[in-house]
Amino acid sequence: MMTKNADSKTFEARNQLAFHALEDLVPQDHLLRKIDHHIDFTFIYDIVEDVYCQDNGRPSIDPITLIKIPIIQYLFGIPSMRQTIQEIQVNVAYRWFLGLSLTDPVPHFSTFGKNYKRRFESQSLAEQIFSHILQQCFDAGVVDSKDIFIDGTHVKACANGRKYTNEEVQVQAKWLANELMDAIQDDREVHGKKPLKNTEKECSTKSQKTSLNDPDAGWFHKGDHKQVFAYNIQTACDRNGWVLGYSVHPGNTHDTQAFFTLFDKVASLKPVHLIADAGYKTPTIAQFLLNQEITPVFPYTRPKRQKENRDIVYDEYYDCYLDENNMIYHYTTTNRKGYREYRASRQDREDYQNNRVITRHVWQGALETCEDIRHSDGMRDLYKERKESIERLFGTAKEHHGFRYTHLIGKARMDFKTGLTYACLNMKKLANILEMRS
């Protein structure tokens, strides 16, 4: 039932005068209180010391306050910096976190962008913040880097899918290409073949779509997904979802090409197991991890041979293949792509009109070792933890932290968004855990 005095009470409430401390207006269990209490941000002064003048110029905004603004944005999934500033103007918890009083003016939404462009763009600021937050997680004893889960996710770029040009670009050289060529030459030598000549070939090119809005983004399509310009975010985490490392690539970069940039960032953690999906299950990655004395854990994948080659069996002792008719396929050569070629004898080819060629990668043995590992005790259960670690991490980042798309243009800014978003994910979990301990 509506009362006659409703308007007068609303007027009195809106014009009420009272004395309150900002400290009293922020709930005691608010997330920002926990972060402010348990996360040490003083390391930021050391990071930005070289880009500030100590004895000249106008007084600047405190660097911690300045960097806390995008932290608020990514922590609460606010879409843009403009909207973040609007939220800070009316949210007392945000003001409290930034050290602003109820009457202090809020910085203009372009303030951080200008400081980023003039001061922080070449500083790898977000990566350093991420590393310091991760170190605080290690110091708290909450991270277990023995088992590392890796995967990639795509973030839609700020680019119109209909505005692009077709350009000729150099094909990216495959990682471990030199090591693979050495293995090919050694394999040919073992089989009595002459070494390949002119192993250094010219860089080939390919045609690809380049965005007019964001040239750093890559044209991405997968299955029935809508084709868009996007970024490929490679991520590593432990079994509890703590982000251990990341790398940013154009959306058209395959996971196998992006893997090694990510691995360089987590190699110092000395993992025992590295768990990845089928996109990383290649002879090159398998061979590399085994050489690093890291146990790869891959899923089962269907044989990729053509239908007529699915019933063949490899005899390791005699280095030959047997088909369903017990016809023997002997080694003939090792090609430049790293595959041994097996054919039936010339007489059998003529008698049975059989020109079948069976190929086997020189590092295929590493994949077979991975298959043995997959059947080892505990490996299947370990692989199943992906959905509770890396997959859940991606879901949380996309659903609650604005990681489905970006308004930023350029790889450098995408690096910043990714690093700060993952730093926010880690600091949120760390603050909640330390609050429960206290």
Side-chain angles (χ1 to χ4, degrees), residues 297 373-385:
V297 181
I373 292 171
R374 187 177 70 84
H375 289 93
S376 303
D377 292 340
M379 293 299 104
R380 290 189 180 183
D381 292 334
L382 183 59
Y383 183 80
K384 289 180 180 179
E385 292 184 21

Side-chain angles (χ1 to χ4, degrees), residues 17-37:
L17 296 178
F19 290 97
H20 290 286
L22 185 59
E23 181 73 20
D24 298 332
L25 299 177
V26 181
Q28 293 298 318
D29 60 347
H30 197 283
L31 176 60
L32 291 179
R33 275 193 179 275
K34 301 174 185 178
I35 291 177
D36 185 76
H37 178 67

Side-chain angles (χ1 to χ4, degrees), residues 23 28 30 34 55 120 125 127 147 154 266 269 325 333 403:
E23 181 73 20
Q28 293 298 318
H30 197 283
K34 301 174 185 178
D55 55 5
F120 306 141
L125 178 62
E127 185 174 1
D147 303 324
H154 286 82
V266 298
L269 301 178
N325 298 318
T333 188
F403 215 53

Side-chain angles (χ1 to χ4, degrees), residues 127-139:
E127 185 174 1
Q128 295 185 66
I129 293 174
F130 171 82
S131 298
H132 279 83
I133 297 298
L134 180 61
Q135 186 59 51
Q136 293 184 34
C137 296
F138 273 103
D139 294 340

Side-chain angles (χ1 to χ4, degrees), residues 89-159:
Q89 289 175 345
V90 298
N91 192 311
V92 293
Y94 294 171
R95 283 181 171 270
W96 177 89
F97 185 62
L98 296 175
L100 300 176
S101 70
L102 289 173
T103 58
D104 283 340
V106 178
H108 192 265
F109 68 85
S110 65
T111 301
F112 181 81
K114 291 178 179 178
N115 277 273
Y116 173 82
K117 189 67 178 178
R118 298 168 183 173
R119 287 192 170 112
F120 306 141
E121 188 171 27
S122 60
Q123 297 292 316
S124 301
L125 178 62
E127 185 174 1
Q128 295 185 66
I129 293 174
F130 171 82
S131 298
H132 279 83
I133 297 298
L134 180 61
Q135 186 59 51
Q136 293 184 34
C137 296
F138 273 103
D139 294 340
V142 296
V143 180
D144 180 10
S145 60
K146 182 182 72 172
D147 303 324
I148 292 183
F149 299 78
I150 67 167
D151 202 356
T153 189
H154 286 82
V155 177
K156 186 179 181 300
C158 184

